[in-house]
Amino acid sequence: KGLDKEILTEVLSMNNTIKSFTAGACILGLASLMTACGTPPRPVEELTRARTLIEQAEQAGAQEFAGADLERAREKLRQADAAADKNKEKEMATARRLAQEAASDAEFAAATARKVKAEQAAQEVATSTQTLKQESSRAVEQKEQQLQAPAQQ
């Protein structure tokens, strides 16, 4: 009986060890499966590109000349960040798309700002050219009058 009890205790101990090992293996396998089938990575590249383009648009004067476009880019970037923070597969796709849209909006805002600045510069050149023409004409008229004045005396 003593030997049977000892064997039974040993079998039960081995059984518990096997159960613990099996449970640990299952947890490890499940964790590996979740990692392999987990959510796609955060769209860091797209988010970074959008941030960079928004900064460039701000430096180009988009706040002044294309404020609505710049604000739209900022809002889409905020939405992209929020979606990425949810860390779900569907949300990562949404975050990627919104970040790409934010980048496009920022590029458009920067281009609009550069266009408006170029138009203003062209207008300033045209105004300066017109002023120079008027001054030149006035100077020619004055010279002609000076040349005619001695002849009339």
Side-chain angles (χ1 to χ4, degrees), residues 22-89:
T22 304
C26 286
I27 290 171
L28 183 61
L30 184 59
S32 297
L33 183 63
M34 287 175 65
T35 301
C37 298
T39 60
R42 184 178 176 90
V44 174
E45 184 177 322
E46 290 86 349
L47 291 167
T48 301
R49 182 171 185 269
R51 279 188 189 80
T52 300
L53 289 170
I54 288 171
E55 287 174 11
Q56 289 174 356
E58 290 168 344
Q59 292 169 359
Q63 185 63 45
E64 181 180 354
F65 301 111
D69 296 318
L70 182 59
E71 188 52 39
R72 187 171 37 257
R74 288 177 181 148
E75 179 58 30
K76 286 181 182 176
L77 179 58
R78 281 190 288 271
Q79 290 173 0
D81 277 327
D85 289 343
K86 291 180 182 174
N87 205 26
K88 294 181 181 174
E89 185 173 348

Side-chain angles (χ1 to χ4, degrees), residues 5 22-23 29 34 37 44 47 50 94 97 118 123 127-128 133 135 142-143 148 152:
K5 199 175 197 182
T22 304
M34 287 175 65
C37 298
V44 174
L47 291 167
T94 300
R97 179 185 52 81
Q123 183 60 44
T127 301
S128 295
K133 284 181 181 179
E135 289 177 8
Q142 287 176 349
K143 197 58 146 170
Q148 291 174 0
Q152 292 176 354

Side-chain angles (χ1 to χ4, degrees), residues 64-151:
E64 181 180 354
F65 301 111
D69 296 318
L70 182 59
E71 188 52 39
R72 187 171 37 257
R74 288 177 181 148
E75 179 58 30
K76 286 181 182 176
L77 179 58
R78 281 190 288 271
Q79 290 173 0
D81 277 327
D85 289 343
K86 291 180 182 174
N87 205 26
K88 294 181 181 174
E89 185 173 348
K90 180 182 175 189
E91 298 301 329
M92 289 303 162
T94 300
R96 181 170 281 104
R97 179 185 52 81
L98 286 168
Q100 290 167 345
E101 288 178 16
S104 294
D105 290 344
E107 286 178 314
F108 184 77
T112 300
R114 286 190 297 271
K115 174 185 169 264
V116 170
K117 284 182 173 182
E119 288 172 345
Q120 287 178 343
Q123 183 60 44
E124 287 176 17
V125 168
T127 301
S128 295
T129 302
Q130 184 64 32
T131 301
L132 285 173
K133 284 181 181 179
Q134 290 171 350
E135 289 177 8
S136 176
S137 293
R138 200 172 316 128
V140 168
E141 287 175 13
Q142 287 176 349
K143 197 58 146 170
E144 286 175 352
Q145 288 174 359
Q146 289 174 353
L147 290 174
Q148 291 174 0

